[in-house]
Amino acid sequence: MKETSESLEAYSFTLYPLKGEYVEKALEVAFRNDVSVYDASYIAQAVIKGTCMYTANEKLVKKLKKGVFEVR
């Protein structure tokens, strides 16, 4: 676990715990769009940060309501 943590630090990854506003938004996105909480957590983070999310997951993109999220 320590090696993983050090590797993430070396690449400047920021980890966000799924709690507070983040978990609330993730659950909202998941239920409104019938997607997994895993997928919704990435969308929620983009919404909270005021940015767009890029994905190659075409099934996810099709499930999202058009105009609500900026997904590329």
Side-chain angles (χ1 to χ4, degrees):
M1 195 65 147
K2 183 179 179 185
E3 288 177 16
T4 301
S5 176
E6 290 171 352
S7 294
L8 290 172
E9 270 186 43
Y11 288 101
S12 298
F13 284 105
T14 302
L15 302 177
Y16 295 93
L18 191 58
K19 62 183 184 180
E21 177 189 17
Y22 182 25
V23 73
E24 290 172 15
K25 182 56 80 176
L27 291 173
E28 176 189 336
V29 170
F31 285 107
R32 286 190 176 181
N33 297 281
D34 191 30
V35 298
S36 69
V37 173
Y38 175 83
D39 287 336
S41 67
Y42 288 96
I43 299 163
Q45 194 61 243
V47 170
I48 290 168
K49 296 291 184 182
T51 188
C52 66
M53 182 189 95
Y54 291 85
T55 183
N57 186 337
E58 292 180 21
K59 289 181 183 179
L60 175 62
V61 173
K62 288 178 183 177
K63 280 190 166 187
L64 297 174
K65 296 181 178 170
K66 295 190 181 211
V68 177
F69 305 106
E70 185 177 352
V71 180
R72 299 179 183 167

Coordinates of all heavy atoms in Angstrom, one line a residue:
M1 N 0.8 -1.2 0.0 CA 0.0 0.0 0.0 C 0.9 1.3 0.0 O 0.6 2.2 -0.7 CB -0.9 0.0 1.2 CG -2.0 0.9 1.1 SD -3.1 0.5 -0.2 CE -4.6 1.0 0.4
K2 N 2.0 1.2 0.7 CA 2.9 2.3 0.8 C 3.5 2.6 -0.6 O 3.5 3.8 -1.0 CB 4.0 2.1 1.8 CG 4.9 3.3 2.0 CD 6.0 3.0 3.0 CE 6.9 4.2 3.1 NZ 8.0 4.0 4.0
E3 N 3.8 1.6 -1.3 CA 4.4 1.8 -2.7 C 3.4 2.4 -3.6 O 3.7 3.3 -4.4 CB 4.8 0.5 -3.2 CG 6.1 -0.1 -2.6 CD 6.5 -1.4 -3.1 OE1 6.0 -1.8 -4.2 OE2 7.3 -2.1 -2.5
T4 N 2.1 2.0 -3.5 CA 1.1 2.6 -4.3 C 0.9 4.1 -4.0 O 0.8 4.9 -4.9 CB -0.3 1.9 -4.1 OG1 -0.1 0.5 -4.4 CG2 -1.4 2.5 -4.9
S5 N 0.9 4.4 -2.7 CA 0.8 5.8 -2.3 C 1.9 6.6 -2.8 O 1.7 7.8 -3.3 CB 0.7 5.8 -0.7 OG 0.7 7.2 -0.3
E6 N 3.1 6.1 -2.7 CA 4.3 6.8 -3.2 C 4.2 7.0 -4.7 O 4.6 8.1 -5.2 CB 5.6 6.1 -2.7 CG 5.8 6.2 -1.2 CD 6.9 5.3 -0.8 OE1 7.4 4.5 -1.6 OE2 7.3 5.4 0.4
S7 N 3.8 6.0 -5.4 CA 3.7 6.1 -6.9 C 2.7 7.2 -7.2 O 2.9 8.0 -8.2 CB 3.2 4.8 -7.5 OG 4.2 3.8 -7.3
L8 N 1.5 7.2 -6.6 CA 0.5 8.3 -6.9 C 1.1 9.7 -6.6 O 0.9 10.6 -7.4 CB -0.7 8.0 -6.0 CG -1.6 6.8 -6.4 CD1 -2.7 6.6 -5.4 CD2 -2.1 7.0 -7.8
E9 N 1.8 9.8 -5.5 CA 2.5 11.1 -5.2 C 3.4 11.5 -6.3 O 3.5 12.7 -6.7 CB 3.2 11.0 -3.8 CG 2.3 11.4 -2.7 CD 3.1 11.4 -1.4 OE1 4.2 12.0 -1.4 OE2 2.6 10.9 -0.4
A10 N 4.2 10.5 -6.8 CA 5.2 10.8 -7.8 C 4.6 11.4 -9.1 O 5.2 12.2 -9.8 CB 6.0 9.6 -8.1
Y11 N 3.4 10.9 -9.4 CA 2.7 11.4 -10.6 C 1.7 12.5 -10.3 O 0.9 12.9 -11.2 CB 1.9 10.2 -11.2 CG 2.9 9.2 -11.9 CD1 3.2 8.0 -11.3 CD2 3.5 9.5 -13.1 CE1 4.1 7.1 -11.9 CE2 4.4 8.6 -13.7 CZ 4.7 7.5 -13.1 OH 5.5 6.6 -13.7
S12 N 1.7 13.0 -9.1 CA 0.9 14.2 -8.7 C -0.6 13.9 -8.8 O -1.4 14.7 -9.2 CB 1.2 15.4 -9.5 OG 2.5 15.8 -9.3
F13 N -1.1 12.6 -8.6 CA -2.5 12.3 -8.5 C -3.1 12.8 -7.2 O -2.4 12.7 -6.2 CB -2.7 10.8 -8.6 CG -2.5 10.2 -9.9 CD1 -1.4 9.5 -10.2 CD2 -3.5 10.4 -10.9 CE1 -1.2 8.9 -11.5 CE2 -3.3 9.8 -12.2 CZ -2.2 9.1 -12.5
T14 N -4.2 13.4 -7.3 CA -4.9 13.8 -6.1 C -6.1 12.8 -5.8 O -6.9 12.6 -6.7 CB -5.5 15.2 -6.2 OG1 -4.4 16.1 -6.5 CG2 -6.2 15.7 -4.9
L15 N -6.2 12.3 -4.6 CA -7.2 11.4 -4.3 C -8.3 12.1 -3.5 O -8.0 12.9 -2.6 CB -6.7 10.2 -3.4 CG -5.6 9.4 -4.1 CD1 -5.1 8.3 -3.1 CD2 -6.1 8.7 -5.4
Y16 N -9.6 11.9 -3.9 CA -10.7 12.6 -3.2 C -11.5 11.5 -2.5 O -12.0 10.6 -3.2 CB -11.5 13.3 -4.2 CG -10.8 14.5 -4.9 CD1 -10.1 14.3 -6.1 CD2 -10.7 15.7 -4.3 CE1 -9.5 15.3 -6.7 CE2 -10.1 16.8 -4.9 CZ -9.4 16.6 -6.1 OH -8.8 17.6 -6.7
P17 N -11.7 11.6 -1.2 CA -12.6 10.7 -0.5 C -14.0 10.9 -0.9 O -14.5 12.0 -1.1 CB -12.3 11.0 1.0 CG -11.8 12.4 1.0 CD -11.1 12.6 -0.3
L18 N -14.7 9.8 -1.1 CA -16.1 9.9 -1.5 C -17.0 10.2 -0.3 O -17.5 9.3 0.3 CB -16.5 8.6 -2.2 CG -17.9 8.6 -2.9 CD1 -17.9 9.7 -4.0 CD2 -18.2 7.2 -3.5
K19 N -17.1 11.5 0.0 CA -17.9 11.9 1.2 C -18.4 13.3 1.0 O -17.9 14.0 0.1 CB -17.1 11.8 2.5 CG -15.9 12.6 2.6 CD -15.1 12.3 3.9 CE -13.9 13.3 4.0 NZ -13.2 13.1 5.2
G20 N -19.3 13.8 1.8 CA -19.8 15.1 1.8 C -20.5 15.5 0.5 O -21.3 14.7 0.0
E21 N -20.2 16.7 0.0 CA -20.8 17.1 -1.3 C -20.5 16.2 -2.4 O -21.4 15.9 -3.3 CB -20.3 18.5 -1.6 CG -20.8 19.1 -2.9 CD -20.1 20.3 -3.4 OE1 -19.0 20.7 -2.8 OE2 -20.6 21.0 -4.3
Y22 N -19.3 15.6 -2.4 CA -18.9 14.7 -3.5 C -19.8 13.5 -3.6 O -20.3 13.1 -4.6 CB -17.4 14.3 -3.3 CG -16.8 13.5 -4.3 CD1 -17.2 13.4 -5.6 CD2 -15.7 12.7 -4.0 CE1 -16.6 12.6 -6.5 CE2 -15.0 11.9 -4.9 CZ -15.5 11.8 -6.2 OH -14.9 11.0 -7.1
V23 N -20.0 12.8 -2.4 CA -20.9 11.6 -2.4 C -22.3 12.0 -2.8 O -23.0 11.2 -3.4 CB -20.8 10.8 -1.1 CG1 -21.5 11.5 0.0 CG2 -21.3 9.4 -1.3
E24 N -22.8 13.1 -2.3 CA -24.2 13.5 -2.6 C -24.4 13.7 -4.1 O -25.3 13.3 -4.6 CB -24.5 14.8 -1.8 CG -24.6 14.6 -0.3 CD -24.8 16.0 0.4 OE1 -25.0 17.0 -0.2 OE2 -24.6 15.9 1.6
K25 N -23.4 14.4 -4.7 CA -23.5 14.6 -6.2 C -23.4 13.3 -6.9 O -24.1 13.1 -7.9 CB -22.5 15.6 -6.6 CG -22.5 16.0 -8.1 CD -23.9 16.5 -8.5 CE -24.0 18.0 -8.2 NZ -25.3 18.5 -8.7
A26 N -22.5 12.5 -6.5 CA -22.3 11.2 -7.2 C -23.6 10.3 -7.1 O -24.0 9.7 -8.1 CB -21.1 10.4 -6.6
L27 N -24.2 10.3 -6.0 CA -25.4 9.5 -5.8 C -26.6 10.1 -6.7 O -27.3 9.4 -7.3 CB -25.9 9.4 -4.4 CG -24.9 8.5 -3.5 CD1 -25.3 8.6 -2.1 CD2 -25.0 7.1 -4.0
E28 N -26.6 11.4 -6.7 CA -27.6 12.1 -7.5 C -27.4 11.8 -9.0 O -28.4 11.4 -9.7 CB -27.5 13.6 -7.3 CG -28.4 14.4 -8.2 CD -28.1 15.9 -8.1 OE1 -27.6 16.4 -7.1 OE2 -28.5 16.6 -9.1
V29 N -26.2 11.9 -9.5 CA -25.9 11.6 -10.9 C -26.2 10.1 -11.2 O -26.8 9.8 -12.2 CB -24.4 11.9 -11.2 CG1 -24.1 11.3 -12.6 CG2 -24.2 13.4 -11.1
A30 N -25.9 9.2 -10.3 CA -26.1 7.8 -10.5 C -27.6 7.5 -10.6 O -28.0 6.8 -11.6 CB -25.5 7.0 -9.3
F31 N -28.4 8.0 -9.7 CA -29.8 7.7 -9.7 C -30.5 8.3 -10.9 O -31.4 7.8 -11.5 CB -30.5 8.0 -8.4 CG -30.1 7.0 -7.3 CD1 -29.2 7.3 -6.3 CD2 -30.7 5.7 -7.3 CE1 -28.9 6.4 -5.3 CE2 -30.3 4.8 -6.4 CZ -29.5 5.2 -5.3
R32 N -30.2 9.6 -11.2 CA -30.9 10.3 -12.2 C -30.6 9.8 -13.6 O -31.3 9.9 -14.6 CB -30.5 11.8 -12.2 CG -31.2 12.5 -11.1 CD -31.0 14.0 -11.3 NE -31.8 14.7 -10.2 CZ -31.8 16.0 -10.1 NH1 -31.2 16.7 -11.0 NH2 -32.5 16.5 -9.2
N33 N -29.4 9.1 -13.8 CA -28.9 8.7 -15.1 C -28.8 7.2 -15.2 O -28.3 6.7 -16.2 CB -27.6 9.4 -15.4 CG -27.8 10.9 -15.5 OD1 -28.3 11.4 -16.5 ND2 -27.4 11.6 -14.5
D34 N -29.2 6.5 -14.2 CA -29.1 5.0 -14.2 C -27.7 4.5 -14.5 O -27.5 3.7 -15.4 CB -30.1 4.4 -15.1 CG -30.2 2.9 -15.0 OD1 -30.0 2.4 -13.8 OD2 -30.6 2.2 -16.0
V35 N -26.7 5.1 -13.8 CA -25.3 4.7 -14.0 C -24.7 4.2 -12.7 O -25.3 4.5 -11.6 CB -24.4 5.8 -14.6 CG1 -24.9 6.2 -16.0 CG2 -24.3 7.0 -13.7
S36 N -23.6 3.6 -12.7 CA -23.0 3.1 -11.4 C -22.5 4.3 -10.6 O -22.1 5.4 -11.2 CB -21.8 2.1 -11.7 OG -20.8 2.8 -12.3
V37 N -22.4 4.1 -9.3 CA -21.8 5.1 -8.5 C -20.3 5.4 -8.9 O -19.8 6.5 -8.8 CB -21.9 4.8 -7.0 CG1 -21.2 5.8 -6.1 CG2 -23.4 4.7 -6.6
Y38 N -19.7 4.3 -9.3 CA -18.3 4.4 -9.8 C -18.2 5.4 -10.9 O -17.4 6.4 -10.9 CB -17.8 3.1 -10.2 CG -16.4 3.1 -10.9 CD1 -15.2 3.1 -10.0 CD2 -16.2 3.1 -12.2 CE1 -14.0 3.1 -10.6 CE2 -15.0 3.2 -12.8 CZ -13.8 3.2 -12.0 OH -12.6 3.2 -12.5
D39 N -19.0 5.2 -12.0 CA -19.0 6.2 -13.1 C -19.5 7.5 -12.7 O -18.9 8.6 -13.1 CB -19.9 5.6 -14.2 CG -19.3 4.5 -15.0 OD1 -18.1 4.3 -15.0 OD2 -20.1 3.7 -15.6
A40 N -20.5 7.6 -11.9 CA -21.1 8.9 -11.4 C -20.1 9.7 -10.6 O -20.1 10.9 -10.6 CB -22.3 8.6 -10.6
S41 N -19.2 9.0 -9.9 CA -18.2 9.7 -9.1 C -17.3 10.6 -10.0 O -16.9 11.7 -9.6 CB -17.4 8.8 -8.2 OG -16.5 7.9 -9.0
Y42 N -16.9 10.1 -11.1 CA -16.1 10.9 -12.0 C -16.8 12.1 -12.6 O -16.3 13.2 -12.7 CB -15.6 10.0 -13.2 CG -14.5 9.0 -12.8 CD1 -14.9 7.7 -12.4 CD2 -13.2 9.4 -12.6 CE1 -13.9 6.8 -12.0 CE2 -12.2 8.5 -12.2 CZ -12.6 7.2 -11.9 OH -11.6 6.3 -11.5
I43 N -18.1 11.9 -12.9 CA -18.9 13.0 -13.4 C -19.1 14.0 -12.3 O -19.0 15.2 -12.5 CB -20.3 12.4 -13.9 CG1 -20.1 11.4 -15.0 CG2 -21.2 13.6 -14.3 CD1 -21.3 10.5 -15.3
A44 N -19.4 13.5 -11.1 CA -19.6 14.4 -9.9 C -18.4 15.3 -9.7 O -18.5 16.5 -9.4 CB -20.0 13.6 -8.7
Q45 N -17.2 14.7 -9.8 CA -16.0 15.4 -9.6 C -15.8 16.5 -10.6 O -15.5 17.7 -10.3 CB -14.8 14.5 -9.6 CG -13.5 15.1 -9.0 CD -13.6 15.5 -7.6 OE1 -13.5 16.7 -7.3 NE2 -13.9 14.6 -6.7
A46 N -16.2 16.2 -11.8 CA -16.1 17.2 -12.9 C -17.1 18.4 -12.7 O -16.7 19.5 -12.8 CB -16.3 16.6 -14.3
V47 N -18.3 18.0 -12.2 CA -19.3 19.0 -11.9 C -18.8 19.9 -10.8 O -18.9 21.2 -10.9 CB -20.7 18.4 -11.6 CG1 -21.7 19.4 -11.1 CG2 -21.2 17.7 -12.8
I48 N -18.4 19.3 -9.7 CA -17.9 20.1 -8.6 C -16.8 21.0 -8.9 O -16.7 22.2 -8.5 CB -17.6 19.2 -7.4 CG1 -18.8 18.5 -6.9 CG2 -16.8 19.9 -6.3 CD1 -18.6 17.4 -5.9
K49 N -15.8 20.5 -9.7 CA -14.7 21.3 -10.1 C -15.0 22.3 -11.3 O -14.1 23.1 -11.6 CB -13.5 20.4 -10.6 CG -13.0 19.5 -9.5 CD -12.3 20.3 -8.5 CE -11.6 19.4 -7.4 NZ -11.0 20.2 -6.4
G50 N -16.2 22.2 -11.8 CA -16.6 23.1 -12.9 C -15.8 22.9 -14.2 O -15.5 23.8 -14.9
T51 N -15.6 21.6 -14.5 CA -14.9 21.3 -15.7 C -15.6 20.2 -16.5 O -16.7 19.7 -16.1 CB -13.4 20.8 -15.4 OG1 -12.7 20.6 -16.6 CG2 -13.4 19.5 -14.6
C52 N -15.1 19.7 -17.6 CA -15.7 18.6 -18.3 C -15.0 17.3 -18.0 O -13.8 17.3 -17.5 CB -15.8 18.9 -19.8 SG -14.2 18.9 -20.6
M53 N -15.6 16.2 -18.3 CA -15.0 14.9 -18.1 C -14.8 14.3 -19.5 O -15.7 14.3 -20.3 CB -15.9 14.0 -17.3 CG -15.4 12.7 -17.0 SD -16.6 11.6 -16.2 CE -17.2 10.7 -17.6
Y54 N -13.7 13.7 -19.7 CA -13.4 12.9 -21.0 C -13.5 11.4 -20.7 O -13.0 11.0 -19.7 CB -12.0 13.3 -21.5 CG -11.9 14.7 -22.0 CD1 -11.6 15.7 -21.1 CD2 -12.1 15.0 -23.3 CE1 -11.5 17.0 -21.6 CE2 -12.0 16.3 -23.8 CZ -11.7 17.3 -22.9 OH -11.6 18.6 -23.3
T55 N -14.2 10.7 -21.6 CA -14.3 9.3 -21.5 C -14.4 8.6 -22.8 O -14.9 9.2 -23.8 CB -15.5 8.9 -20.6 OG1 -15.5 7.5 -20.4 CG2 -16.8 9.3 -21.2
A56 N -14.0 7.4 -22.9 CA -14.1 6.6 -24.1 C -15.3 5.6 -23.9 O -15.6 4.8 -24.8 CB -12.9 5.8 -24.4
N57 N -16.0 5.7 -22.8 CA -17.1 4.9 -22.5 C -18.4 5.3 -23.2 O -19.1 6.2 -22.7 CB -17.3 4.8 -20.9 CG -18.4 3.8 -20.5 OD1 -19.2 3.5 -21.3 ND2 -18.3 3.4 -19.3
E58 N -18.6 4.8 -24.4 CA -19.8 5.3 -25.2 C -21.1 4.9 -24.5 O -22.0 5.7 -24.7 CB -19.7 4.7 -26.6 CG -18.5 5.2 -27.4 CD -18.4 4.6 -28.8 OE1 -19.4 4.1 -29.3 OE2 -17.3 4.7 -29.3
K59 N -21.2 3.8 -23.8 CA -22.4 3.5 -23.1 C -22.8 4.5 -22.1 O -23.9 4.9 -21.9 CB -22.3 2.1 -22.5 CG -22.3 1.0 -23.5 CD -22.2 -0.4 -22.8 CE -22.2 -1.5 -23.8 NZ -22.1 -2.8 -23.1
L60 N -21.7 5.0 -21.4 CA -22.0 6.0 -20.3 C -22.4 7.3 -21.0 O -23.4 7.9 -20.5 CB -20.7 6.2 -19.5 CG -20.7 7.4 -18.5 CD1 -21.7 7.1 -17.4 CD2 -19.3 7.6 -17.9
V61 N -21.8 7.7 -22.0 CA -22.2 9.0 -22.7 C -23.6 8.9 -23.1 O -24.4 9.8 -23.0 CB -21.2 9.3 -23.9 CG1 -21.7 10.4 -24.7 CG2 -19.8 9.5 -23.4
K62 N -24.0 7.8 -23.7 CA -25.4 7.6 -24.2 C -26.4 7.7 -23.1 O -27.6 8.1 -23.3 CB -25.6 6.3 -25.0 CG -24.9 6.4 -26.3 CD -25.0 5.0 -27.1 CE -24.3 5.1 -28.4 NZ -24.3 3.8 -29.1
K63 N -26.1 7.2 -21.9 CA -27.0 7.2 -20.8 C -27.2 8.6 -20.1 O -28.2 8.8 -19.5 CB -26.5 6.2 -19.7 CG -26.8 4.8 -19.9 CD -26.5 4.0 -18.7 CE -27.2 2.6 -18.8 NZ -27.0 1.9 -17.6
L64 N -26.2 9.4 -20.3 CA -26.3 10.7 -19.6 C -27.3 11.6 -20.4 O -27.4 11.6 -21.6 CB -24.9 11.4 -19.6 CG -23.9 10.7 -18.8 CD1 -22.5 11.4 -18.9 CD2 -24.3 10.6 -17.3
K65 N -28.0 12.4 -19.6 CA -29.0 13.3 -20.2 C -28.3 14.4 -20.9 O -27.4 15.1 -20.4 CB -29.9 13.8 -19.1 CG -30.7 12.7 -18.5 CD -31.7 13.2 -17.5 CE -32.5 12.0 -17.0 NZ -33.2 12.1 -15.9
K66 N -28.6 14.6 -22.2 CA -28.0 15.6 -23.0 C -28.1 17.0 -22.4 O -29.2 17.4 -21.9 CB -28.5 15.6 -24.4 CG -28.2 14.3 -25.1 CD -28.5 14.3 -26.6 CE -28.1 13.0 -27.1 NZ -27.7 13.0 -28.4
G67 N -27.0 17.8 -22.4 CA -27.1 19.1 -21.9 C -26.9 19.3 -20.5 O -26.6 20.4 -20.0
V68 N -26.9 18.3 -19.7 CA -26.8 18.4 -18.2 C -25.3 18.3 -17.8 O -24.9 19.1 -17.0 CB -27.6 17.3 -17.5 CG1 -27.4 17.3 -16.0 CG2 -29.0 17.4 -17.8
F69 N -24.5 17.5 -18.5 CA -23.1 17.3 -18.2 C -22.3 17.5 -19.5 O -22.7 17.0 -20.5 CB -22.8 16.0 -17.6 CG -23.7 15.6 -16.4 CD1 -24.7 14.8 -16.4 CD2 -23.4 16.3 -15.2 CE1 -25.5 14.5 -15.3 CE2 -24.2 16.0 -14.1 CZ -25.2 15.1 -14.2
E70 N -21.2 18.1 -19.3 CA -20.3 18.2 -20.5 C -19.3 17.0 -20.4 O -18.4 17.0 -19.6 CB -19.5 19.5 -20.5 CG -18.7 19.7 -21.7 CD -17.9 21.0 -21.7 OE1 -18.2 21.9 -20.8 OE2 -17.1 21.2 -22.6
V71 N -19.6 16.0 -21.3 CA -18.8 14.8 -21.3 C -18.2 14.6 -22.7 O -19.0 14.8 -23.7 CB -19.6 13.5 -20.9 CG1 -18.7 12.3 -21.0 CG2 -20.2 13.7 -19.5
R72 N -17.0 14.4 -22.8 CA -16.3 14.2 -24.1 C -15.6 12.9 -24.2 O -15.2 12.3 -23.3 CB -15.3 15.3 -24.4 CG -16.0 16.7 -24.4 CD -15.0 17.8 -24.6 NE -15.7 19.0 -24.5 CZ -15.2 20.2 -24.4 NH1 -13.9 20.3 -24.4 NH2 -15.9 21.3 -24.3

